[in-house]
Amino acid sequence: MSRNTSRKRKNVFPWIVAFLTLVLIIISKTAFAVGENDLKQGMQHYASRQFDRARLCFEKAAKAGNTEAQTMMGVLYFKGNGVEKDDSQAARWFEKAAKAGHADAQTFIGVMNLEGQGIPKNGKKALEWFEKAAQAGETNAQNYLGTAYLKGTETAQDTGKAVYWFTRAAEAGDSNASKILGALYLNGQEGLPKDPLKARLWLQKAADQGDTDAAELLKQIP
């Protein structure tokens, strides 16, 4: 895998927060759950950057048990929007929603466990949360699991499982997973022979989504 690819995988949590926040805003428009109206109002305030008003709405819905609102409370505390930045409070809200089965929150709390952000570092628990979110189809969690199995981080190294999770994320449209798969098939890996055809397939998919690293890797295929 290229050095550029490795560098870009570092410090991606803020980007994931932004991406999943956008997903939550979209989902909220069709939400039917406890605290639905407060959640929708909170999302509208959040989108217009009225964070104080958003917090009041999210907090009301969150206390009523709305898991999307609980996740958004975590986002507010993580970013310091409408509240003083507080990673421990962010982790508390993410974990509350995660335990109730919210996949995005499971990814968030998994990353915070992985990095020891707001809570003690716990790689094993991070993987447990990623597994739950990945099974629910959350592509960021699938990427984290793929990376963990590829590198043998907090688990036994398993190229087959790494490819499985990267493939699931790539098939769901995740360009980063497509790029990683392409690089793996291009260079080969223990338990995974080189396959120029598959390398081209996945790298082209990522390049078509605007990934410049993937486009550069494509040039290495004869």
Side-chain angles (χ1 to χ4, degrees):
M1 197 176 303
S2 69
R3 292 182 179 177
N4 287 338
T5 302
S6 298
R7 284 198 298 269
K8 287 193 175 183
R9 287 195 61 78
K10 296 179 180 178
N11 301 319
V12 295
F13 191 32
W15 179 88
I16 292 175
V17 171
F19 173 75
L20 292 181
T21 301
L22 176 61
V23 172
L24 288 168
I25 291 173
I26 295 171
I27 291 174
S28 72
K29 294 180 179 179
T30 56
F32 293 94
V34 174
E36 173 193 356
N37 290 333
D38 290 314
L39 172 66
K40 286 186 175 181
Q41 290 178 18
M43 288 298 191
Q44 291 170 358
H45 292 316
Y46 188 92
S48 60
R49 302 187 65 80
Q50 299 179 63
F51 298 126
D52 288 336
R53 292 184 177 183
R55 178 183 58 79
L56 293 175
C57 294
F58 290 147
E59 190 166 25
K60 184 177 179 181
K63 288 181 177 179
N66 187 291
T67 57
E68 288 177 28
Q70 291 166 355
T71 304
M72 287 305 301
M73 286 297 295
V75 170
L76 290 180
Y77 277 108
F78 179 80
K79 290 186 170 183
N81 289 337
V83 293
E84 184 176 350
K85 180 175 171 58
D86 188 329
D87 288 344
S88 63
Q89 282 294 322
R92 183 176 74 85
W93 282 110
F94 287 145
E95 186 168 28
K96 188 176 183 67
K99 287 181 176 178
H102 196 286
D104 292 343
Q106 289 167 347
T107 300
F108 283 135
I109 194 63
V111 175
M112 297 191 87
N113 271 284
L114 185 66
E115 298 184 353
Q117 196 165 0
I119 50 178
K121 188 172 183 178
N122 190 327
K124 184 177 180 180
K125 186 174 288 187
L127 291 191
E128 291 174 356
W129 284 121
F130 290 148
E131 180 80 30
K132 291 178 183 293
Q135 292 290 358
E138 210 291 293
T139 57
N140 289 298
Q142 290 167 349
N143 269 300
Y144 273 110
L145 268 186
T147 300
Y149 281 118
L150 185 64
K151 296 182 177 180
T153 304
E154 299 294 338
T155 187
Q157 197 278 338
D158 191 322
T159 302
K161 288 184 178 180
V163 170
Y164 170 78
W165 285 113
F166 285 134
T167 300
R168 280 195 57 177
E171 288 177 343
D174 188 281
S175 62
N176 187 65
S178 296
K179 174 177 60 182
I180 292 173
L181 276 175
L184 288 174
Y185 283 117
L186 175 63
N187 299 314
Q189 185 80 11
E190 183 178 351
L192 185 73
K194 293 182 180 181
D195 190 325
L197 291 179
K198 288 184 178 179
R200 184 179 296 278
L201 171 70
W202 290 115
L203 289 173
Q204 188 64 61
K205 187 177 179 70
D208 289 345
Q209 292 176 276
D211 193 301
T212 56
D213 286 340
E216 287 299 314
L217 287 172
L218 272 171
K219 297 176 183 178
Q220 298 180 25
I221 302 176

